[in-house]
């Protein structure tokens, strides 16, 4: 391993200073949540941009860029701590060849660069970008959207997105079971299929399998990658999840009007949906 030859050209923790106060500005973001956006950048390798004699033809470097919200206020002090821990857990989801996981962003950067250097004769630039954003906020509930993209060799770059619906009073992640009535599955899948077909411009009678999608028994089923929005429940199928890479991701929203009977009156979703 070439760890001893690594040239660290950046190691900066950039506190952006701008606070996303999340007032009710008409775009579906309101409530008690207050955050401060943080950025972290780190790059390293034998031949990084900015080091002596580096050119586009001989670059050998790995670059990491992370941006995320540091929660300053939520529904309770306990929720602030839980939300920050949850966000860090998503950002640090990585492991080295021995299965060790990072506990800080600095450790994540070190592991990423070490993995790059461990590949013999690696040329070019490895990149990984991770971000968490608040995409929706209400009195007791918020949606976080995690995005990841980059390139570590191979035929294609990688990318993916995940939604997380969060309870602002406890800081815990909410599931569909937490928000919808018992036995919701059939009704949600039916409404989800209509929204999915609309997003993909598929006629109601068209075969999902013949259109290139991989659903068991050719029967549509929503996944658990969902978020709460002002208009409905948003879902994402990432590349390779239900279709080949060439078809890309599919994001669609199930309108609340289509699942109104599935939302109990005491659900955290009820004040948003009605």
């Amino acid at each position: 391993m070439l760890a001893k030859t690594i040239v660290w050209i950046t190691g900066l923790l950039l506190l952006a200073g701008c606070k996303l106060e999340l007032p009710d500005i008409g775009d579906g973001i309101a409530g008690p949540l207050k955050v401060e956006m943080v950025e972290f950048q780190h790059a390293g390798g034998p031949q990084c941009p900015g080091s002596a004699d580096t050119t586009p033809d001989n670059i050998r470097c790995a670059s990491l860029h992370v941006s995320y919200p540091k929660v300053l206020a939520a529904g309770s002090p306990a929720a602030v701590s839980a939300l920050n821990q949850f966000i860090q857990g998503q950002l640090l989801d990585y492991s080295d060849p021995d299965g060790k996981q990072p506990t800080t962003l600095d450790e994540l950067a070190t592991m990423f660069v070490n993995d790059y250097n461990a590949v013999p004769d690696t040329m070019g630039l490895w990149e990984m970008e991770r971000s968490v954003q608040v995409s929706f906020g209400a009195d007791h509930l918020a949606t976080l959207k995690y995005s990841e993209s980059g390139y570590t060799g191979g035929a294609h770059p990688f990318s993916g997105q995940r939604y997380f619906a969060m309870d602002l009073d406890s800081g815990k992640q909410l599931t569909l079971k937490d928000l919808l009535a018992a036995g919701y599955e059939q009704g949600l899948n039916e409404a989800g299929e209509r929204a999915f077909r609309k997003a993909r411009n598929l006629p109601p009678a068209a075969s999902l399998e013949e259109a290139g999608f991989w659903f068991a028994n050719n029967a549509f089923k929503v996944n658990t990658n969902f978020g709460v929005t002002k208009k409905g429940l948003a879902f994402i199928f990432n590349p390779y999840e239900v279709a080949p890479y060439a078809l890309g991701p599919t994001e669609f929203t199930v309108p609340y009007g289509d699942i109104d009977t599935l939302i109990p009156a005491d659900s955290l979703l009820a004040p948003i949906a009605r």
Side-chain angles (χ1 to χ4, degrees):
M1 187 173 294
L2 302 177
K4 293 184 179 179
T5 66
I6 294 173
V7 179
W8 298 102
I9 64 167
T10 60
L12 305 177
L13 180 60
L14 305 176
L15 296 178
C18 58
K19 295 182 180 180
L20 181 59
E21 296 293 346
L22 303 181
D24 187 356
I25 55 177
D27 60 357
I29 297 179
L33 189 64
K34 292 182 175 62
V35 303
E36 182 176 72
M37 294 304 297
V38 178
E39 292 193 15
F40 176 92
Q41 298 183 53
H42 209 130
Q47 196 78 28
C48 282
S51 60
D53 302 323
T54 300
T55 70
D57 295 327
N58 68 7
I59 186 171
R60 296 186 63 197
C61 190
S63 174
L64 173 70
H65 181 204
V66 177
S67 62
Y68 63 96
K70 178 183 178 181
V71 179
L72 304 177
S76 71
V80 171
S81 177
L83 288 166
N84 282 322
Q85 288 180 15
F86 182 87
I87 290 169
Q88 288 296 309
Q90 303 308 312
L91 297 173
L92 298 174
D93 185 11
Y94 196 85
S95 61
D96 67 10
D98 296 324
K100 179 184 177 182
Q101 295 185 323
T103 59
T104 66
L105 291 175
D106 282 318
E107 288 185 7
L108 171 63
T110 298
M111 288 182 180
F112 186 59
V113 174
N114 286 347
D115 285 346
Y116 176 85
N117 285 315
V119 179
D121 302 321
T122 302
M123 294 296 295
L125 180 66
W126 275 19
E127 295 179 286
M128 183 164 67
E129 183 168 351
R130 291 180 167 182
S131 70
V132 176
Q133 296 177 325
V134 180
S135 63
F136 177 84
D139 286 343
H140 302 286
L141 186 155
T143 297
L144 303 177
K145 188 173 185 179
Y146 171 92
S147 301
E148 180 181 74
S149 62
Y151 180 76
T152 55
H156 304 290
F158 62 86
S159 64
Q161 297 178 328
R162 294 197 297 269
Y163 276 126
F164 302 106
M166 309 299 297
D167 185 331
L168 291 181
D169 294 324
S170 67
K172 294 180 180 180
Q173 183 183 2
L174 297 166
T175 67
L176 291 168
K177 186 177 180 180
D178 294 325
L179 298 174
L180 302 177
Y184 69 84
E185 290 85 355
Q186 180 177 345
L188 180 59
N189 285 332
E190 290 173 355
E193 181 170 0
R194 291 193 295 271
F196 178 89
R197 287 178 178 273
K198 181 178 180 180
R200 280 295 185 171
N201 295 314
L202 293 175
S207 167
L208 294 170
E209 184 176 8
E210 291 178 1
F213 296 99
W214 309 321
F215 290 101
N217 300 317
N218 199 29
F220 179 87
K221 183 178 181 181
V222 299
N223 60 10
T224 58
N225 189 354
F226 82 97
V228 174
T229 76
K230 191 173 184 178
K231 297 181 178 179
L233 295 181
F235 291 85
I236 298 175
F237 286 112
N238 282 303
Y240 294 118
E241 188 173 351
V242 296
Y245 179 86
L247 287 182
T250 304
E251 184 169 1
F252 59 96
T253 298
V254 179
Y256 291 128
D258 289 358
I259 55 172
D260 182 68
T261 59
L262 305 180
I263 304 173
D266 60 350
S267 169
L268 290 178
L269 199 56
I272 300 165
R274 295 167 185 151

